[in-house]
Amino acid sequence: MSFDMTTMEDIVSLCKRRGFIFQGSEIYGGLAGTWDYGPLGVALKRNIQNLWWKTFVEDREDMFGLDSAILMNQKVWQASGHATGFNDPLVECSECKTRLRQDHIRDNKCPNCGKVGKFSEPRQFNMMFKTSVGPVEDESSTSYLRPETAQGIFTNFKNVVDSIYPDFPFGIAQIGKAFRNEISPRDFVFRGREFEQMEIEYFVEEKVWEAEFEKWKAEFYKWFEAIGLPKSMVHELDVGEGDRAHYSKKTIDFEFDFPFGKSELYGLAYRTDFDLKNHEKSSGKKLTYVPKDGGQPFVPHVIEPTFGVDRTILAVLVACYKEDEVNGEKRSYLALPDALAPVKYVVSPLVKNKPELVKKAREVFALVKKKYGAVMWDDNSNVGKRYRRADEIGVPKCITIDFDTLEDDTVTVRDRDTTKQVRVKISELDENFAKNISAV
Ligand code: GAP
């Protein structure tokens, strides 16, 4: 069976069963639109974030990192346009009273009760979560949980320029939580109310925005390859004027073939100088860049590549989920790139009731774990079942210590995707591993 037949049920049940993703507040019946990442999920998430940070910050000379506060002065959201413009059209079914996002309704039919054409007039629903800062709750204490990480970057533009004075062009990157009171969260982690973004604001001169936009488009394709998303499953959508966010002059959505249909995975937007200009006007602070060659100060324009973390995880799981047959038995495995695998190696003794084997296996485990951290010990049931368990969570290699190990100091290294096994000397494991996980 190939990945294009992977269902949401396959993914959701794997995530729950093996500890990748759980429903938020599950023991209390859940809280719609929230998800908790379990031991394997958080490892996968961190690996994705670390690879992203390495790719887009550490490996480049023109990118700088940031970690700004989630709560911001309410004036930020007035200046950015979110306080008035970050709305979705809300309608109510007059039959069952369910509230729905108008643009998500298909064939004018209520997805809850099935009635056709029984909706109220749409009203604009602001998606920001409102809260109050400090002990007095009034207009002046209002704040919001940020609906995008981007504004923290714009409001720190001056701080970064003043403290680093980078060459131009340059970008600022940040990974962090964002919150949206989605009218109808759905499709597992695809549309949550609390989620994470990895965002870049790349500052350019207006006259070169198109060329910079194209360069960033190419970067997305390198990223897709690095995280194991086949090009055939990604599609570009040039978003029409009416559908673009209020700040954007051009947006390309990168859509992915999710099991529930082709939907937005990432976005690339040309935000012009909309944000910096508005914050300049609203704060009274100059948000300009002074060219190092003595040219005139100017407010930069912005190219924004934005990546949802949760949607990345979902897309990676969908693309990497495979089913095949080994020795007449069905197996499922996650063909994750090594850099993303939450567990890099499983180490096992062939059997657990032979103390000399267990002792040797423990030595190998300690060696490998010290070096690579994300290494698991498994001595339950038989070796075949261990391999299946490891395959299911995407462990690239399993190492088994058997009676030959005691004679010649070699172990079996078994590959997840091909199921092939090779004998490797313990003293050469290091070299063997280094080759295998060079992408990490
Ligand atoms: N700063 C630009 C911005 O926030 P966006 O298209 O609204 O643009 C960026 O969001 C990315 O965040 C999306 O491409 C998607 O990956 C992710 N995202 C947006 N809303 C989401 C939600 N409700 N649940 C999960 N991820 C979401």
Side-chain angles (χ1 to χ4, degrees):
M1 190 162 110
S2 66
F3 54 76
D4 57 356
M5 289 164 73
T6 303
T7 65
M8 281 305 281
E9 175 56 27
D10 293 329
I11 303 298
V12 175
S13 93
L14 171 72
C15 284
K16 164 94 173 136
R17 194 171 64 248
R18 299 304 309 270
F20 281 91
I21 304 174
F22 310 119
Q23 193 184 5
S25 313
E26 193 181 88
I27 60 168
Y28 289 102
L31 178 67
T34 65
W35 299 95
D36 296 340
Y37 287 82
L40 294 182
V42 70
L44 175 57
K45 191 192 239 195
R46 291 255 162 95
N47 291 342
I48 287 170
Q49 292 172 331
N50 290 345
L51 186 64
W52 188 88
W53 196 258
K54 184 176 181 318
T55 306
F56 294 114
V57 182
E58 291 175 356
D59 287 354
R60 297 177 60 124
E61 287 180 38
D62 57 345
M63 292 287 306
F64 302 89
L66 181 77
D67 186 10
S68 68
I70 286 170
L71 294 172
M72 301 177 84
N73 191 311
Q74 56 172 292
K75 288 181 185 155
V76 171
W77 306 110
Q78 286 150 15
S80 71
H82 286 80
T84 48
F86 197 58
N87 303 322
D88 271 343
L90 174 74
V91 292
E92 189 177 279
C93 171
S94 46
E95 189 73 17
C96 69
K97 307 291 175 214
T98 303
R99 292 182 171 183
L100 302 156
R101 205 173 122 174
Q102 188 189 34
D103 54 333
H104 283 173
I105 297 171
R106 294 202 184 103
D107 304 326
N108 211 13
K109 186 173 169 183
C110 174
N112 189 43
C113 70
K115 279 278 172 216
V116 176
K118 289 257 179 188
F119 300 109
S120 64
E121 280 302 303
R123 75 174 170 87
Q124 292 305 314
F125 173 75
N126 191 288
M127 289 201 288
M128 285 199 295
F129 280 102
K130 212 177 199 175
T131 186
S132 186
V133 175
V136 183
E137 216 174 298
D138 62 16
E139 277 281 288
S140 66
S141 68
T142 297
S143 185
Y144 302 91
L145 302 186
R146 67 180 178 201
E148 61 168 6
T149 66
Q151 294 305 323
I153 298 181
F154 294 126
T155 54
N156 279 287
F157 171 78
K158 183 172 159 46
N159 286 332
V160 173
V161 169
D162 290 351
S163 57
I164 306 269
Y165 199 13
D167 288 342
F168 205 82
F170 72 95
I172 303 177
Q174 138 152 280
I175 299 178
K177 291 267 186 180
F179 302 82
R180 296 182 189 177
N181 199 1
E182 296 281 355
I183 295 169
S184 37
R186 59 181 184 164
D187 297 322
F188 199 31
V189 296
F190 177 82
R191 192 180 303 286
R193 289 184 168 135
E194 174 176 342
F195 55 96
E196 263 180 280
Q197 292 182 320
M198 306 184 283
E199 295 204 294
I200 293 165
E201 305 305 323
Y202 197 75
F203 301 100
V204 300
E205 283 184 82
E206 181 179 7
K207 61 176 188 258
V208 299
W209 80 263
E210 275 156 313
E212 295 293 340
F213 194 93
E214 287 306 310
K215 280 193 215 162
W216 276 105
K217 208 164 93 175
E219 291 299 319
F220 272 94
Y221 284 94
K222 288 191 215 158
W223 173 251
F224 295 138
E225 197 181 337
I227 60 170
L229 302 189
K231 222 174 147 193
S232 60
M233 294 180 85
V234 177
H235 313 276
E236 283 177 30
L237 173 74
D238 200 336
V239 182
E241 199 179 338
D243 293 328
R244 284 199 297 267
H246 59 279
Y247 49 70
S248 172
K249 210 162 169 183
K250 180 173 174 77
T251 297
I252 285 183
D253 281 351
F254 293 94
E255 297 188 315
F256 180 78
D257 290 324
F258 289 102
F260 46 82
K262 196 166 69 167
S263 302
E264 178 191 337
L265 171 62
Y266 300 143
L268 175 62
Y270 169 43
R271 290 181 82 130
T272 69
D273 55 0
F274 176 89
D275 300 271
L276 288 182
K277 273 264 169 69
N278 281 341
H279 287 307
E280 200 172 53
K281 218 182 325 164
S282 186
S283 68
K285 300 285 188 308
K286 269 210 167 334
L287 300 181
T288 50
Y289 181 84
V290 183
K292 292 188 174 174
D293 63 5
Q296 282 301 311
F298 64 99
V299 177
H301 280 234
V302 172
I303 306 293
E304 181 194 62
T306 177
F307 305 69
V309 176
D310 311 79
R311 288 187 191 180
T312 307
I313 291 170
L314 187 55
V316 163
L317 290 174
V318 169
C320 295
Y321 183 89
K322 317 265 178 200
E323 287 183 357
D324 64 2
E325 239 181 62
V326 176
N327 302 332
E329 255 186 60
K330 192 180 130 181
R331 76 158 180 157
S332 72
Y333 65 104
L334 285 180
L336 293 171
D338 291 350
L340 301 193
V343 176
K344 307 295 181 206
Y345 301 99
V346 166
V347 179
S348 313
L350 185 65
V351 288
K352 67 174 175 187
N353 58 358
K354 297 282 176 212
E356 65 276 33
L357 267 195
V358 175
K359 181 167 173 277
K360 189 77 186 169
R362 277 279 170 197
E363 279 170 28
V364 175
F365 174 66
L367 186 89
V368 182
K369 187 150 181 72
K370 188 156 181 246
K371 183 107 185 157
Y372 300 106
V375 177
M376 226 165 74
W377 172 263
D378 189 1
D379 60 6
N380 290 311
S381 55
N382 64 42
V383 74
K385 286 193 177 140
R386 283 179 215 152
Y387 288 159
R388 295 294 174 278
R389 276 200 297 275
D391 290 343
E392 200 180 32
I393 60 168
V395 182
K397 304 269 187 253
C398 288
I399 297 165
T400 303
I401 284 76
D402 57 22
F403 293 103
D404 287 346
T405 313
L406 303 176
E407 303 295 317
D408 61 8
D409 255 9
T410 63
V411 293
T412 301
V413 178
R414 184 260 193 190
D415 180 77
R416 174 197 63 206
D417 299 348
T418 61
T419 74
K420 289 221 172 79
Q421 304 185 13
V422 287
R423 293 298 292 189
V424 178
K425 273 204 159 311
I426 294 173
S427 59
E428 286 165 12
L429 267 179
D430 219 32
E431 197 187 312
N432 185 278
F433 292 160
K435 246 191 313 199
N436 289 335
I437 63 161
S438 56
V440 178

